[in-house]
Amino acid sequence: MKKMLTISLIFSLIVITSFIKNSTKKIDEELFSLKENILNLNLELDNVKLEFDYLSSSEKLLSYQNLYFEDKLTLKNINEIEIIDFTKEKILTNDVKIIDSEK
């Protein structure tokens, strides 16, 4: 009887250990996936912060224009701006529609 109890105890420990190992492996895979997603999101956040920092004010844009482009940039009227559509075989241009969001 004592031998049977010892064998059943060892067998149950092996089964429990196997179950715990499989559960831990699944959790580890989920953690790895989440860490990868967080890393990608952090990179995207850094890029957006950088873009915001450098393009957030008109004064900065004007200083960059003077610093890098000198007289290469010209002022355009908003009505002269068009959207170019390359989805079809022909190149189509559409006027930009300005929507006042304050209304």
Side-chain angles (χ1 to χ4, degrees):
M1 182 72 182
K2 197 173 186 181
K3 200 174 190 181
M4 253 335 233
L5 184 64
T6 306
I7 290 175
S8 65
L9 180 66
I10 291 174
F11 181 73
S12 65
L13 287 174
I14 290 172
V15 169
I16 291 172
T17 304
S18 173
F19 176 73
I20 291 173
K21 186 177 178 181
N22 286 337
S23 299
T24 306
K25 185 178 178 182
K26 287 179 183 178
I27 291 171
D28 192 37
E29 289 173 356
E30 289 177 11
L31 279 174
F32 178 77
S33 174
L34 288 173
K35 285 180 181 179
E36 287 294 314
N37 288 338
I38 289 172
L39 179 66
N40 290 336
L41 290 173
N42 279 335
L43 288 173
E44 186 176 340
L45 177 64
D46 289 341
N47 288 337
V48 169
K49 279 183 179 179
L50 180 67
E51 183 178 334
F52 177 77
D53 289 341
Y54 283 103
L55 300 177
S56 61
S57 70
S58 58
E59 292 85 16
K60 284 185 182 180
L61 288 175
L62 289 173
S63 68
Y64 291 139
Q65 175 188 356
N66 293 333
L67 181 64
Y68 295 112
F69 297 108
E70 295 174 6
D71 295 328
K72 294 180 185 178
L73 298 178
T74 59
L75 184 64
K76 290 280 186 182
N77 188 350
I78 193 73
N79 296 327
E80 296 175 5
I81 299 174
E82 295 179 341
I83 298 173
I84 300 175
D85 185 11
F86 292 107
T87 57
K88 300 178 182 174
E89 291 179 10
K90 296 180 183 179
I91 297 176
L92 301 174
T93 60
N94 298 327
D95 291 335
V96 174
K97 293 179 178 135
I98 310 286
I99 299 174
D100 189 8
S101 62
E102 295 178 7
K103 289 183 179 181

